[in-house]
Each structure stands twice: as C-alpha cells, then as structure tokens.
C-alpha cells in the first residue's frame, strides 16, 4: 500500500474508494505485487539452468489469480483434487501441475493421475499401492529431512513427529519398493514448513535431499518446497531470498554436474508470492473505551481472517480513513461471539466509527481460511490490475448460506403446526 497526497493506494487505486465501491469487508489484491515477487524469485535463482516455480495455490485459489501465475510462466502446486481442477480451469497444462496431497485416499490419487498431473507421494503404503496400480506413471516422492525450520509449531512440518513425507531414514525401504515394482521416480521433494529464518538451516535440509538423490538414477527434478518468510512489519524477519538463491544455486549446479544431468530445480511458494499483495479492508462499527483499553470493533472477525487467532500472526493495521489523525492505542477486535482479536495495543491514527481499517499481508491464507461462522457472509474479493479494480468474487448472500441446506418437509410441517 502506498501513501501519496494524503491517501492510501493499492496498486495505484484509492483504497477508500475500493471500500466504498465494493463495500466492506473486502479483500483487495494487487496483481503488480504478485508479479514483482515472482520476478524476484526467478531472479534470485537465476544461476540455475532449469528453474520452475510452482505457485502453492492453497494460499489463494481465485481463478483470476491462478491465471496471473500461469501467464507469468509459473506451474502450480496443489494439495487436493479440487485445486487440480481449478488449475486446469485456469488453463494450466496438466504437466505443469504437481499434486502433493497428504493422507488422501488412493482413489483421489487415481483421480489426479487420470487428469494427467504430476504426482507427489508422501507415504510408503500409498507408494506401494500406487505402484502396483500404475507402474508406468512416473512419480515424485516427498521426503522428510527432519529439519526443524522456524519457530511456529503449528506450521513447521519437517520435524521428526511430523505426519508429512517419508522419513529420510526410510529411503532404503523406498528403494526396495521402487525396485520390486519397477517404479520410475522422476522427482524428490521436501517442504519443511513455513518459517525459514535462516538460509543455513534450509541448506542443511537441501544437503540431506541431495544426498538421497544420488540413489535415484531417473530424476528429472528436485523440489525444495517452500517456507519462505515474508515481513509482517517494518524491519520484520524475512527470508533473504537473494542470499539463499546465490548459495543454493551454486550448490545445485555443483550437484547436477556430479549427477551428470541438468535437473530442474523447483520451489513451491505460496505466501512469498501472494501474502504482501493482499489487504483486508474492514469498517469500524464501534469505538468502545473501557477502564483499561480502547477497543475498535470492526465488521469482521475470525470468520474472515483467522490467522491472528490461529497462529498468533501479526497483520499490520492502518486506519486509512484518518491518516492525519492523532495516534492512539487500540485493541482491534471483531464482531464474532468468541474472542477474536486482530491486534493488541496497536498505534493507529484516531479511529472514529465508520473508519476503514486495512489489515496487511492478507493475500495468503486469509480468504481461503474464511468460514460462515456466526452465519456471516464471506466477503468479496477485488483484484487491482493495471491500475483498475475488478470484482473477482462477489460477497455471499442469504441464498449462498441456504444453497446447500436441504429443508425437510416433515420438520417444516411440524414447525407450522
Ligand atoms: C502450504 C504448502 C506450501 C506453501 O507454503 P508457504 O509457506 O505458503 O510458501 C508449499 N508446499 C506444500 C506441500 C504446502 O503444503
């Protein structure tokens, strides 16, 4: 969000006008930021001959966003067969879609095979069943290097007790299955979680995967997952992607030389590509002063942005309606009948009833984790593209809430009596 001539802008469009035009609450995404982040990532790993970025679309699957990434040349990382379908609908070539499920049935994996996408398998039992059923289909396997990345236990998935991936210690077992069934392993994959503070730790996991790669002669790609951290506040910790690209690029090229073939280097960032592109605009309903605090109560809650409550995530809040107002300290809370605090002790320019507050980093896992809790509607989504705001999902209505409910005649009769 830029501040210019006393107004806040998203992608060059006045943010307050977006809220007025489309109503609040509303998610607003800036396509230019997505493009910038994609370019940054490709540039950071520019040393590598064959680089592929698969946008991890669980972060934000609006098909217009998927199309932006397709046009940029990105592939897609998907975790469900529904995401695969959305990707195909957005025009992705099936070969550019990697399907990385966890704990799904063999039936769902088979559905993905039928759609022609690349398959990533993360447990030996499924690998055996899969191999017996589709011995001709090349697969990727997800290994767990048991590296503890980052500090948030809810989003770290690489540790020893994690449900994700095949333990690196089970590679000998995997090799037996591969030999017995004549499988072709075309890729190795790891994804250590969502909090990489330290390139050093990431490179240690990379070493473990490279070490395993020597045992697989048919590889075409190595996928190092994601977990790139974006800043949430000024000066906040972020992955130094340029430094990582520089060091990993050298190491990867060295490995390819040893291996005897130029493998494709894959990453699958979600947050890195879309988090900073999104802003969630909400309207202040009440300003309530209690003995200890001043609360700004807004027309949203954990039904629309659960990350602060779920992960203790920090989303920077700005009062875009009163940029020149005198700063005061607020607790920004939602309207859900449940504790739903967006921010504690936030310094905002004076908040008045009706003011629009903007929450930053709302591109990833914000709309996607929204629900109808308290029977509230999910908000609209707006995409700013080349200096123009477009509605890309309308706000829900009562019909949407009732659309999937089946009303029983029997109960209806009783209710009338
Ligand atoms: C969620 C997920 C990602 C994306 O993680 P970010 O932290 O959003 O970059 C990548 N790969 C897999 C397998 C995932 O489950």
């Amino acid at each position: 969000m830029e501040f210019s001539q006393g107004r806040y802008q998203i992608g060059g469009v006045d943010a307050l006008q977006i809220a007025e035009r489309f109503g609040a609450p509303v998610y607003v995404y800036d396509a230019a930021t997505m493009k910038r982040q994609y370019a940054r990532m490709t540039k950071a790993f520019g040393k590598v001959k064959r680089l592929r970025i698969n946008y991890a679309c669980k972060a934000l699957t609006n098909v217009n966003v998927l199309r932006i990434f397709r046009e940029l040349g990105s592939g897609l990382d998907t975790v469900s067969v529904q995401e695969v379908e959305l990707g195909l609908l957005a025009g992705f070539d099936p070969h550019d879609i990697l399907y990385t499920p966890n704990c799904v049935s063999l039936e769902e994996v088979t559905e993905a095979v039928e759609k022609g996408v690349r398959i990533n398998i993360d447990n030996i039992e499924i690998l055996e069943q899969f191999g017996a059923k589709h011995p001709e289909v090349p697969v990727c396997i997800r290994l767990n290097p048991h590296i503890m990345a980052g500090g948030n236990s809810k989003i770290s998935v690489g540790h020893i007790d994690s449900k994700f991936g095949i333990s690196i210690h089970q590679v000998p077992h995997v090799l037996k299955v591969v030999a017995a069934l004549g499988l072709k392993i075309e890729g190795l994959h790891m994804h250590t979680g969502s909090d990489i503070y330290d390139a050093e730790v990431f490179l240690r996991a990379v070493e473990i995967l490279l070490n395993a790669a020597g045992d697989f002669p048919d590889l075409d790609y190595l996928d190092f997952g994601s977990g790139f951290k974006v800043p949430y506040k000024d000066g906040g910790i972020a992955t130094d992607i340029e430094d990582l690209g520089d060091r990993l690029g050298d190491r990867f090229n060295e490995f390819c030389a040893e291996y005897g073939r130029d493998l494709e280097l894959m990453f699958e960032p979600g947050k890195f590509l879309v988090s900073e592109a999104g802003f969630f605009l909400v309207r202040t309903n009440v300003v309530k002063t209690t003995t200890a605090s001043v609360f700004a109560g807004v027309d949203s809650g954990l039904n629309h942005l659960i990350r602060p409550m779920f992960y203790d995530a920090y989303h920077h809040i700005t009062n875009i309606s009163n940029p020149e107002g005198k700063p005061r300290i607020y607790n920004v809370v939602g309207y859900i009948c449940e504790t739903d605090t967006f921010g504690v002790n936030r310094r905002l320019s004076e908040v008045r009833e009706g003011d629009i507050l903007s929450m930053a980093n709302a591109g990833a896992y914000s709309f996607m984790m929204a629900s109808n809790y308290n029977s509230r509607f999910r908000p609209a989504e707006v995409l700013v593209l080349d200096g123009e705001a477009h509605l890309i999902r309308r706000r829900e209505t009562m019909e949407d809430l009732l659309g999937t409910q089946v009303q029983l005649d029997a109960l209806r009769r009783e209710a009338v009596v």
Side-chain angles (χ1 to χ4, degrees), residues 2 40-41 43 67 113 120 137 147 155 192 200 203 211 228 243 252 330-331 347 351 356 382 385 401 408:
E2 314 89 57
R40 219 183 122 193
M41 185 124 200
K43 186 158 174 253
R67 285 202 182 100
V113 171
N120 190 2
V137 178
I147 289 284
I155 53 178
T192 53
E200 215 60 60
L203 288 166
N211 189 41
F228 306 116
D243 174 54
F252 187 76
Y330 295 90
N331 290 345
R347 193 179 151 90
V351 181
I356 299 290
V382 166
L385 197 59
L401 284 193
L408 297 180

Side-chain angles (χ1 to χ4, degrees), residues 54 56-59 77-79 100 120 142 155 157 164 189-191 193-195 223 225-229 267-273 364-365:
N54 290 328
C57 72
K58 75 174 191 278
D77 189 75
T78 59
V79 294
T100 304
N120 190 2
R142 176 174 186 170
I155 53 178
V157 296
F164 296 98
H189 169 277
M190 69 170 201
H191 171 64
S194 290
D195 253 348
D223 184 336
S226 178
F228 306 116
K229 198 165 165 52
F267 286 106
E268 45 193 42
K271 215 180 274 164
F272 184 83
L273 295 176
Y365 310 111

Side-chain angles (χ1 to χ4, degrees), residues 144-148 157-164 167-169:
N144 186 337
H146 304 307
I147 289 284
M148 185 75 187
V157 296
H159 52 89
I160 194 91
D161 261 347
S162 167
K163 68 166 184 158
F164 296 98
S167 167
I168 195 77
H169 306 303

Side-chain angles (χ1 to χ4, degrees), residues 127-132 135-136 176-184:
L127 183 69
E128 284 189 286
Q129 294 172 40
F130 178 89
E136 73 296 344
K176 275 184 212 156
V177 173
V178 168
L181 297 170
L183 294 179
K184 184 178 174 208

Side-chain angles (χ1 to χ4, degrees), residues 7-172:
R7 310 280 293 184
Y8 284 96
Q9 299 191 333
I10 299 173
V13 181
D14 191 279
L16 270 183
Q17 277 176 9
I18 293 176
E20 272 159 32
R21 182 171 158 207
F22 299 100
V26 61
Y27 306 90
V28 186
Y29 312 124
D30 175 26
T33 303
M34 298 178 193
K35 292 178 189 174
R36 180 196 74 206
Q37 288 296 93
Y38 185 83
R40 219 183 122 193
M41 185 124 200
T42 35
K43 186 158 174 253
F45 293 92
K47 279 184 181 171
V48 174
K49 241 187 229 150
R50 295 176 62 208
L51 175 71
R52 172 160 287 276
I53 294 169
N54 290 328
Y55 167 51
C57 72
K58 75 174 191 278
L60 181 60
T61 54
N62 189 294
V63 288
N64 299 282
V65 172
L66 301 186
R67 285 202 182 100
I68 289 174
F69 284 106
R70 195 206 64 210
E71 278 169 25
L72 290 173
S74 173
L76 214 58
D77 189 75
T78 59
V79 294
S80 71
V81 76
Q82 290 77 17
E83 285 185 358
V84 168
E85 286 189 38
L86 290 170
L88 293 173
L89 195 84
F92 281 88
D93 185 308
H95 196 68
D96 293 336
I97 300 179
L98 182 65
Y99 169 68
T100 304
N102 173 256
C103 291
V104 304
S105 66
L106 188 64
E107 285 73 36
E108 188 175 310
V109 179
T110 301
E111 249 185 273
V113 171
E114 282 160 5
K115 292 182 191 305
V117 302
R118 300 211 232 200
I119 307 293
N120 190 2
I121 290 185
D122 95 330
N123 97 51
I124 294 186
E125 289 66 37
I126 291 279
L127 183 69
E128 284 189 286
Q129 294 172 40
F130 178 89
K133 203 167 169 185
H134 314 279
E136 73 296 344
V137 178
V139 286
C140 176
I141 52 177
R142 176 174 186 170
L143 293 175
N144 186 337
H146 304 307
I147 289 284
M148 185 75 187
N152 191 326
S153 63
K154 283 189 187 155
I155 53 178
S156 179
V157 296
H159 52 89
I160 194 91
D161 261 347
S162 167
K163 68 166 184 158
F164 296 98
I166 297 171
S167 167
I168 195 77
H169 306 303
Q170 290 177 300
V171 167

